[in-house]
Amino acid sequence: MAKIAYESPEGTTSKEIDADQITDSGKVQGVRIRLEDEGFIHLPYTRLYWIRMSEEEGRVDYSSA
């Protein structure tokens, strides 16, 4: 699991999500987060406070790229 904190219209928000649901965003210079039953949010790096996850979860596998 990963915990992410970001600025939303309601103020600072944090959510716990599966780390596999965080990817680079094609819409903004930032990240795309898939939320269960809520679709996606695209967060620009300027609105992202932090993402915390284990070292293993944070590794990227480029072997299939």
Side-chain angles (χ1 to χ4, degrees), residues 23-51:
T23 58
D24 287 326
S25 175
K27 291 187 176 185
V28 298
Q29 288 187 341
V31 296
R32 178 176 76 165
I33 301 167
R34 182 182 184 126
L35 302 174
E36 281 189 31
D37 302 328
E38 296 180 46
F40 292 92
I41 58 173
H42 297 263
L43 288 174
Y45 291 129
T46 56
R47 293 188 179 258
L48 182 64
Y49 293 122
W50 45 259
I51 299 174

Side-chain angles (χ1 to χ4, degrees), residues 2-6 12-15 47-52:
K3 188 166 186 179
I4 183 167
Y6 58 94
T12 303
T13 302
S14 66
K15 292 191 179 276
R47 293 188 179 258
L48 182 64
Y49 293 122
W50 45 259
I51 299 174
R52 294 184 179 144

Side-chain angles (χ1 to χ4, degrees), residues 1-20:
M1 293 300 287
K3 188 166 186 179
I4 183 167
Y6 58 94
E7 183 182 331
S8 72
E10 295 83 31
T12 303
T13 302
S14 66
K15 292 191 179 276
E16 280 198 36
I17 56 169
D18 187 336
D20 292 336

